[in-house]
Amino acid sequence: MPPKMNYVETALAGLWLMVPALVPNSAAVLLGGGRPLDLGRSWRGRRILGDGKTWRGFAGGAVCGIGVGVLQIAATEAWDLGEAWTFGPWPSSLGIIICLGIGSMLGDSMGSFVKRRLGVGRGAKAPGLDQYNFVIGAVLLVVVLDFSWFQVHYMEGNAVWGLVALLIVVPALHRGVNIVGYRLGRKDVPW
Ligand code: CTP
Ligand code: MG
């Protein structure tokens, strides 16, 4: 990444590169339902994950995130966007978007696991956890598999603005999408 890249651009690039991790959450709301991931089982008197985490939601969410990522890879090539906007050379770019899509849904499930352990019911609010669980999951999986990618795009120099942008934009986006889901009758609560 060019060291002197403008911080507004790095912030926008940081958001763009996290799109494959942001899409799965909304896609899961639209595609979810059916058999729960925990198969209805409990642990220590509480559901492991709860009825809000389903196989269809997990798979549908991850596939949509990866699908959008593939379109983004094509777009960055077609529009010849700079280094900061790319997921890296093919096929490692595919590896990154797969991590982001699956990591997002893993983080979402982990968030519900933590909520259930704390005695927070399915669909009840867990401020912070609800807004960031999927990004945390995606980032952790990417960091484990390709730390240098995360370092270049979110840590070094101006790239840190990408991380700041995520921290600010993600909760707002999450709230907006949930209000839309509520109005469409896909969610019981607007959060
Ligand atoms: N969803 C799903 N499968 C997933 C994730 C989400 O089917 N793996 C669907 C469910 O219908 C869920 C809705 O998307 O109710 C909203 O997701 P979320 O807010 O993450 O779940 P909650 O119902 O709030 O449950 P929790 O308290 O466990 O977060
Ligand atoms: Mg919820």
Side-chain angles (χ1 to χ4, degrees):
M1 176 180 311
K4 288 277 182 276
M5 212 171 87
N6 165 338
Y7 65 90
V8 175
E9 193 181 355
T10 48
L12 293 174
L15 292 174
W16 163 260
L17 292 177
M18 211 40 74
V19 167
L22 304 181
V23 168
N25 213 258
S26 318
V29 177
L30 295 175
L31 302 171
R35 190 187 289 263
L37 278 172
D38 66 8
L39 306 174
R41 276 185 277 224
S42 294
W43 184 50
R44 298 188 172 191
R46 291 186 177 128
R47 282 289 293 275
I48 300 174
L49 299 175
D51 284 332
K53 304 295 114 139
T54 66
W55 290 93
R56 242 171 49 203
F58 190 107
V63 166
C64 286
I66 295 164
V68 169
V70 169
L71 294 177
Q72 287 180 272
I73 291 175
T76 40
E77 307 232 329
W79 302 331
D80 204 12
L81 297 177
E83 183 84 29
W85 297 82
T86 75
F87 293 92
W90 183 269
S92 71
S93 53
L94 185 62
I96 296 288
I97 61 168
I98 290 173
C99 280
L100 293 174
I102 292 176
S104 169
M105 284 285 91
L106 286 175
D108 177 60
S109 307
M110 278 310 296
S112 294
F113 180 79
V114 172
K115 282 171 79 172
R116 299 303 90 83
R117 305 289 70 73
L118 297 173
V120 179
R122 179 241 169 132
K125 277 186 193 172
L129 202 55
D130 283 332
Q131 287 80 5
Y132 292 116
N133 56 22
F134 49 101
V135 179
I136 293 171
V139 166
L140 283 181
L141 197 58
V142 162
V143 162
V144 166
L145 294 172
D146 188 352
F147 178 68
S148 67
W149 184 85
F150 185 76
Q151 199 177 20
V152 166
H153 290 288
Y154 292 99
M155 290 169 67
E156 282 177 0
N158 267 348
V160 85
W161 287 102
L163 206 56
V164 174
L166 272 182
L167 290 175
I168 296 169
V169 171
V170 164
L173 208 62
H174 185 258
R175 177 87 183 137
V177 163
N178 284 342
I179 290 173
V180 172
Y182 175 70
R183 296 250 169 93
L184 292 176
R186 298 294 316 190
K187 273 184 71 86
D188 297 335
V189 289
W191 58 77

